[in-house]
Amino acid sequence: MTKQELRRYIRAQKQQTSGCLAAMSAEICRRVCLSAWWQEAGTLLLYYPLPDEVDVRQLVEEAYKSGKQVLLPVVKGDELELHLYEGESSLSKGAFGIMEPQGPLFASERYGEIESAIIPGMAFDRSGHRLGRGRGYYDRLLPTLVAARLVGVCFPFQYLDSVPAEPHDISVHEVIC
C-alpha cells in the first residue's frame, strides 16, 4: 500500500473500533508506566492527543504530578517547538485544534536532556518505522532527539508487519500497543 492508502485504511479501522479506543488507550498507558525507562526518566516528551490517537493524557498528568519535567509539542509554522507543561490549566487550543502548553520554551540546545519521547503515529511496523499524518512535523523533530529513547504508541491494528519508509526516516526504539 502507498502511504495515502495506508492512512485511509487506518482511519477506517479507527472508525470501526471507536468504541474501544479509550480502553485500548488505558491499557497502553498501563504498559508504559510499567517500563523501566518511564520510571527512570526525569525529562519526557509526550503529546496531547487528537481524538483518534492513543490518549496519553493520563501519562502527561502522572508524569507532571510525580515531578518529572514534561514537554509537549507546539506547532510553529512547519516545525514543532517543545514547551514545558505546567498543568492542565496551562493548555490552550493551538494548531489543528490540539491543546498546547503555554509554558516556557524548552530550548533546542537542551534536547539532549530528553531521556524518553512518546511518539504518536498513524502506523508503526516491527522494525520501528513510523507512518505519520503526512505533514512531516515529527520527521523534522525526531533527528534532534539524539539522546532520547523513542517509543511509539499505537492501537494494535496500527502495528503492522511493514510500513513505507524512506532512508532518512528515524525509527523508534520500541512500540507499545
Side-chain angles (χ1 to χ4, degrees):
M1 277 192 248
T2 66
K3 289 181 178 184
Q4 285 299 67
E5 291 169 335
L6 189 50
R7 287 183 184 106
R8 277 194 294 276
Y9 168 78
I10 294 296
R11 282 187 195 101
Q13 293 297 308
K14 286 179 179 182
Q15 289 176 346
Q16 292 174 6
T17 59
S18 62
C20 304
L21 298 183
M24 286 189 274
S25 290
E27 175 58 19
I28 292 164
C29 290
R30 186 191 69 76
R31 293 183 60 212
V32 167
C33 288
L34 295 174
S35 303
W37 56 263
W38 170 264
Q39 295 170 16
E40 295 166 6
T43 302
L44 295 159
L45 169 63
L46 290 120
Y47 65 92
Y48 205 88
L50 289 167
D52 68 344
E53 291 178 324
V54 173
D55 187 347
V56 296
R57 290 178 293 179
Q58 133 187 8
L59 294 176
V60 171
E61 282 305 310
E62 186 172 313
Y64 175 69
K65 288 178 181 172
S66 70
K68 296 178 186 287
Q69 187 166 235
V70 177
L71 307 171
L72 297 178
V74 172
V75 175
K76 292 290 184 188
D78 289 335
E79 303 296 324
L80 290 178
E81 287 183 350
L82 304 183
H83 286 255
L84 196 59
Y85 175 74
E86 299 180 314
E88 194 153 337
S89 63
S90 71
L91 297 171
S92 66
K93 195 170 281 193
F96 308 106
I98 300 170
M99 298 301 285
E100 298 178 337
Q102 301 305 302
L105 175 67
F106 191 79
S108 59
E109 303 82 50
R110 296 183 59 202
Y111 284 10
E113 298 173 26
I114 300 170
E115 296 160 271
S116 296
I118 296 180
I119 310 296
M122 288 295 287
F124 291 91
D125 70 17
R126 302 195 188 317
S127 298
H129 297 122
R130 175 187 171 276
L131 176 68
R133 292 184 178 264
R135 294 198 175 244
Y137 289 107
Y138 279 94
D139 292 331
R140 289 183 288 280
L141 176 66
L142 292 181
T144 69
L145 304 179
V146 295
R149 177 172 187 79
L150 305 177
V151 180
V153 290
C154 65
F155 299 114
F157 58 82
Q158 293 175 282
Y159 189 53
L160 308 173
D161 289 331
S162 69
V163 298
E166 297 175 31
H168 66 271
D169 289 339
I170 303 293
S171 296
V172 297
H173 300 109
E174 177 181 357
V175 179
I176 297 179
C177 57

